[in-house]
Structure formats: C-alpha cells, structure tokens
C-alpha cells in the first residue's frame, strides 16, 4: 500500500497537486517534501509507532508531514491549533514523543510525556505494521474525546479505486479543517486520485468564493451554516461562481428552507448531502434530489440501521476506540450510535431531524431545533437563526432563539414579528419564550452553528 501511494505520486509527476496562496506545487515537489520530512524524522530518531503531534493548518509542509508519518508508520495527531486543554488531553492519553510544527518549514521538538506506563494507543492500534490517526471531538466544554483510527484503513479505502480521468482534472477546495475527518477525507480523495487541492488561507466566505472564481472550482464542500454566510454576504453575486457543478454539504443538518435559498440563489448547481462521523468516517451518499433533504447511504463499506429513531452505523473505516472515554457509543455488536435522529422515507432515503442531545423537552412536549429554524427561515425578515433550550424550574426546559434579522429593525419589532410569524404555524409550546436579537450567529471552527445547550451554554 505504501509503495502504491508513492508510485501514484510519481506517476502524477509534474501535475499540480497543491495550490497555496496562488503558488502551484506539483506531485513531484510534494514527493520531494515527503522524502525530506522522512529524512528529518530519521535524523531525530522518530521510530515507527511513535506518536507525533502535527501542529498546523493546510500547507504543502503539513500535507507532506502527514504522508511522511504515514509512510513511517507513526501515530499522527493533527491539531490545527494548540490550546492547553486539548494538548493536555493528548499528552495524557496519547503520550506523544514529538511535536512537529508545520508552516513555512518543519520544526520537530521532543516532548516529555507525563509519568506513566506505555500509551494504550499502541495496544488499541493492533496491527504492528499500521499507522495510526488520532482525532479530537469538537465538543467545546470538558475534555474532548480522543478518537483512534487506523490511518492505513483510511488510505487503503482511497487507494482501492483507480484514479479516474475526470477526478484527476478537478480542483477541490480544502474548506473543512486539516484535523477534521471531513477535511482529511477530502484531502486523501483529491490527492490519491491525482486532483488538485486548493488551500485557503482564512476560510472566510469571501475568500472561498474568490478562490472558486480564480481557479474555476467545480466541487465545493461546505456546511449549511457556511453556505448561508455566503448568501447573507452576497458573495455569490460579487464573485463568478459559474464554474461550480456540485456543492456538497454536511457536518450538520440542512434546513429545508435554507436548501431552497441555496437552490434559488446559486441555480444550476447540483447539491449533494454528505454524511459521516469522526468515528466511522465519511460515507458515500446519494441525495434524493438537489431540492430534497433526504439522502441515501450508498456506500458498500458502510452499513446502517435505525433503532428507536437513532441512526447507527458500522463501517470498514470505523474507529478503533476512544482513548479517554468508555466505548459506550458502541453496541455489543460494534454498531456506532451516531446520536442523529432520522426518519426513513421511500426506497431507503433518510432525513436527519437533529441531534438527540439537542432535543428540547418543555413539560413533556418535545421539539428539535431544526424544525423551528426551518419555519423561521421562511420569514422575509429573518436572515438566520439558532434555536436551543434553556433550563426552566417549572417546565424543565424552555425554547429560546437567537435571530439575525434582515434589514433595520428594532429589537422589539423583531421579537414581536417572531411571535406573530410562528403563531398558527407551530404549537404554542414551540413559540420561544426568549428571543434574542444578534448581529451574527456563531460558527465553530468545524463550520457548524454554535448552539447553546442547557448544561454548558455552548456546543
């Protein structure tokens, strides 16, 4: 497998592999950087199965480091940003021996893990010949979950299929992050097929649209929240997006009303809902249509079932376990409980209703935020909104909403409009008791809405 990866890169030769800040790098240059990175690993005594933290976003050097560590059979922990909480969690549960900073160059420092025994990461990896990958969950409170994958399995999945000529001519924007399962999936899918990965600098809606125009991007991976930011900023009008043929969206549920907006504002582009988790990888999907939020998991390597309304998955690229949490998200027969509540339509098509943990319970009456957000987005005065629950001494929880209004409206006018707009359209308990007017709806690094939750305030 490792020989096949190198052979492919050699075969692609001078074809452009990466575009970083308008500078093009061929596969031959990428391969040279991979070899240089491996030489550096050897010079510093980095042995197979040593755990290495790679700090940095997308760059030719960080991508070269990723492949060098794979070829060296290391356990890779990509971290775009280093904060005390996450690094402390990694130090405790992965016991990394090295920190590799990837930017304009590569800098390798030795780490001193806390006292203790050998890291369980090696025991969980199992295959002595395999490289590992550690991802951190995106939770914003408490210690993140430390998720262990076989990097060999993820790479092998992409190497199984021969590069298609059409795929090898595509420029793909790396919108999702370097330490995100979706971002790594996009990167591996693009480079192992001979495509060109275009690396954004800031990942702002304006920059992404500018890059679509500059490099005639045909496939844009994004999230519903990010697509709405493009529409709200009008960047789809100030930049030429006519090259786009496909927009894939995932990481969070898409509201039907927002999907209508995207179809209306960016016409002639096919829309495809993707689905995956940090634990099971990204599944191949088929949308019922560009105007439908129903999709089908059409991946031979992924099984699914629905138990009590929750989607459960089992995949060939499934994680090997958590290093710091009990694997209680796995059933006895190794199905992963996604936490996504779904409904099944005709011919096996699914629609995500929302996250089980986001369910709002008002005195026994239940509401998923996506339902109310979809109704509110149909208002001509609501540009964006986010619904969440808050504790209430009498009803258990109460419904709250943050609204970004369209146009110049007073806060009182917005609150009055929301109540009047919802009255008669939804049941009385779903009408928010607290309506906050905001300048912007928060978005996480993973391009998802920041939704307040009763136990933490953020998510």
């Amino acid at each position: 497998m490792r020989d096949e990866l190198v052979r492919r890169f050699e075969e692609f030769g001078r074809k452009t592999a990466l575009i970083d800040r308008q500078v093009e790098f061929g596969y031959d240059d990428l391969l040279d950087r991979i070899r240089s990175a491996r030489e550096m690993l050897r010079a510093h005594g980095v042995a197979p199965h040593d755990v290495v933290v790679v700090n940095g976003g997308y760059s030719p050097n960080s991508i070269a480091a990723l492949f060098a560590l794979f070829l060296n059979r290391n356990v890779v922990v990509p971290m775009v940003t280093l904060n005390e909480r996450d690094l402390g969690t990694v130090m405790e549960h992965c016991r990394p021996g090295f920190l590799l900073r990837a930017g304009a160059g590569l800098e390798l420092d030795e780490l001193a893990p806390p006292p203790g025994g050998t890291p369980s990461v090696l025991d969980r990896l199992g295959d002595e010949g395999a490289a590992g990958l550690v991802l951190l969950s995106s939770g914003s409170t408490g210690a993140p979950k430390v998720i262990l994958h076989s990097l060999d399995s993820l790479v092998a999945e992409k190497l199984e299929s021969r590069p298609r000529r059409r795929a090898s001519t595509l420029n793909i924007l790396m919108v999702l992050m370097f330490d995100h399962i979706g971002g790594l999936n996009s990167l591996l899918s693009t480079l192992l097929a001979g495509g060109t990965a275009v690396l954004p600098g800031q990942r702002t809606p304006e920059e992404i649209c500018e890059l679509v125009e500059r490099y005639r991007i045909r496939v844009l991976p994004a999230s519903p929240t990010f697509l709405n930011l493009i529409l709200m900023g009008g960047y789809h009008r100030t930049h030429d997006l006519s090259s786009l043929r496909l927009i894939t969206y995932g990481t969070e549920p898409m509201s039907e009303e927002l999907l209508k907006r995207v179809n209306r504002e960016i016409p002639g582009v096919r829309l495809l809902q993707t689905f995956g988790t940090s634990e099971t990888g990204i599944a191949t999907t088929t949308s019922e249509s560009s105007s439908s939020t129903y999709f089908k998991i059409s991946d031979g390597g992924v099984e699914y079932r629905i138990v009590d309304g929750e989607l459960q998955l089992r995949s060939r690229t499934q994680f090997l376990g958590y290093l710091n949490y009990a694997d209680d998200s796995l059933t006895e027969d190794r199905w992963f409980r996604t936490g996504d509540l779904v409904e099944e339509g005709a011919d096996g098509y699914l629609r995500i209703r929302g996250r089980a943990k986001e369910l709002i319970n008002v005195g026994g009456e239940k509401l998923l935020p996506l339902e109310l957000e979809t109704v509110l987005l149909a208002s001509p005065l609501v540009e964006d909104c986010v619904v969440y629950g808050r504790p209430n001494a009498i009803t258990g929880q109460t419904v709250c909403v943050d609204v970004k209004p369209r146009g110049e409206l007073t806060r009182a006018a917005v609150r009055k409009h929301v109540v009047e707009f919802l009255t008669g359209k939804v049941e009385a308990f779903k009408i928010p008791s607290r309506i906050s007017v905001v300048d912007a709806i928060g978005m996480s690094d993973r391009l998802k809405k920041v939704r307040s939750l009763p136990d933490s305030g953020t998510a």
Side-chain angles (χ1 to χ4, degrees):
M1 175 172 58
R2 286 167 174 76
D3 290 342
E4 170 62 14
L5 184 146
V6 173
R7 189 199 63 77
R8 278 200 191 180
F9 285 1
E10 289 175 338
E11 181 181 298
F12 299 147
R14 299 180 65 182
K15 186 183 183 307
T16 302
L18 308 170
I19 301 176
D20 183 33
R21 293 168 180 79
Q22 302 185 42
V23 179
E24 298 187 7
F25 300 84
Y27 279 88
D28 52 352
D29 182 77
L30 176 59
L31 202 50
D32 286 343
R33 288 170 183 262
I34 293 170
R35 289 169 177 146
S36 295
R38 293 197 72 187
E39 284 298 324
M40 183 182 67
L41 297 177
R42 279 192 284 269
H44 284 78
V46 180
H49 283 154
D50 281 348
V51 181
V52 181
V53 175
V54 179
N55 174 221
Y58 287 114
S59 71
N61 286 322
S62 66
I63 293 168
L66 174 70
F67 285 113
L69 291 164
F70 165 72
L71 293 174
N72 203 46
R73 294 177 170 85
N74 289 113
V75 178
V76 188
V77 189
M79 299 181 71
V80 172
T81 56
L82 290 179
N83 61 65
E84 186 175 345
R85 182 199 69 169
D86 290 356
L87 185 58
T89 299
V90 168
M91 292 295 290
E92 179 182 357
H93 298 284
C94 299
R95 302 181 58 77
F98 300 89
L99 169 62
L100 196 161
R101 300 181 190 273
L106 291 177
E107 297 179 10
L108 189 64
D109 298 318
E110 290 192 35
L111 296 174
T118 58
S120 62
V121 61
L122 300 186
D123 298 330
R124 299 296 290 268
L125 192 57
D127 183 357
E128 293 183 0
L133 173 71
V134 171
L135 300 175
L136 302 182
S137 68
S138 58
S140 60
T141 60
K145 290 182 177 179
V146 182
I147 304 164
L148 176 64
H149 279 274
S150 164
L151 186 52
D152 277 38
S153 295
L154 296 172
V155 172
E157 189 79 6
K158 304 304 178 186
L159 284 173
E160 276 188 9
S161 57
R162 291 288 304 168
R164 293 173 294 177
R165 186 161 181 244
R166 182 173 175 273
S168 66
T169 62
L170 287 179
N171 293 341
I172 307 294
L173 270 170
M174 297 296 108
V175 180
L176 301 177
M177 295 178 73
F178 183 62
D179 56 1
H180 182 275
I181 189 67
L184 290 171
N185 181 74
S186 294
L187 182 69
L188 293 175
S189 298
T190 301
L191 295 181
L192 296 181
T196 300
V198 180
L199 312 180
Q202 302 298 319
R203 297 191 314 146
T204 63
E206 183 174 19
E207 181 199 24
I208 293 302
C209 290
E210 192 276 329
L211 290 173
V212 169
E213 178 178 4
R214 180 188 299 272
Y215 295 110
R216 307 303 294 162
I217 300 293
R218 291 198 283 173
V219 180
L220 173 63
S223 68
T225 295
F226 195 82
L227 291 172
N228 200 29
L229 289 175
I230 289 175
L231 301 186
M232 289 190 297
Y235 303 116
H236 60 300
R237 298 191 187 96
T238 56
H239 294 84
D240 179 7
L241 307 186
S242 61
S243 63
L244 282 178
R245 296 294 178 267
L246 174 67
I247 294 175
T248 64
Y249 59 90
T251 77
E252 64 180 352
M254 168 72 84
S255 86
E256 293 180 7
E257 189 59 38
L258 177 56
L259 188 59
K260 289 179 185 176
R261 288 186 183 180
V262 176
N263 273 292
R264 182 174 62 248
E265 296 293 330
I266 312 178
V269 178
R270 187 164 68 92
L271 297 170
L272 171 66
Q273 179 160 333
T274 59
F275 187 83
T277 70
S278 295
E279 289 83 356
T280 58
I282 307 299
T284 300
T285 56
T286 306
S287 283
E288 186 178 45
S289 71
S290 290
S291 58
S292 172
T293 55
Y294 281 90
F295 69 98
K296 182 183 290 186
I297 295 176
S298 50
D299 192 320
V302 179
E303 301 174 88
Y304 81 89
R305 68 185 185 188
I306 301 171
V307 179
D308 297 329
E310 181 189 38
L311 182 64
Q312 296 184 1
L313 298 177
R314 193 163 59 181
S315 73
R316 288 190 300 194
T317 56
Q318 190 147 304
F319 75 137
L320 302 175
Y322 298 117
L323 299 181
N324 62 336
Y325 279 83
D327 292 343
D328 52 9
S329 61
L330 290 171
T331 65
E332 289 185 2
D333 49 353
R334 305 297 292 177
W335 287 83
F336 176 68
R337 301 182 179 100
T338 65
D340 288 301
L341 301 178
V342 300
E343 64 181 47
E344 190 167 17
D347 300 324
Y349 283 96
L350 309 173
R351 183 174 72 89
I352 301 174
R353 299 175 55 232
R355 299 284 292 165
K357 69 177 183 179
E358 295 171 355
L359 190 69
I360 304 170
N361 190 330
V362 182
E365 301 281 2
K366 297 177 181 178
L367 165 70
L368 282 165
L370 185 65
E371 176 190 348
L372 194 57
E373 289 171 7
T374 293
V375 177
L376 278 172
L377 285 174
S379 164
L381 300 183
V382 175
E383 196 163 62
D384 201 2
C385 64
V386 59
V387 173
Y388 52 94
R390 282 291 194 190
N392 181 277
I394 299 174
T395 62
Q397 281 183 275
T398 187
V399 180
C400 306
V401 63
D402 294 347
V403 177
K404 182 183 187 309
R406 179 179 282 118
E408 298 295 328
L409 296 172
T410 65
R411 294 179 182 273
V414 172
R415 295 187 181 103
K416 182 173 184 289
H417 170 74
V418 167
V419 173
E420 291 178 347
F421 186 80
L422 292 176
T423 299
K425 294 184 177 69
V426 301
E427 297 160 89
F429 82 92
K430 297 179 182 178
I431 296 177
S433 60
R434 191 180 81 173
I435 302 167
S436 301
V437 181
V438 298
D439 294 328
I441 301 298
M443 183 180 70
S444 72
D445 287 341
R446 304 295 170 93
L447 307 183
K448 298 189 286 189
K449 279 183 179 179
V450 176
R451 192 182 301 281
S452 296
L453 293 173
D455 60 343
S456 64
T458 57

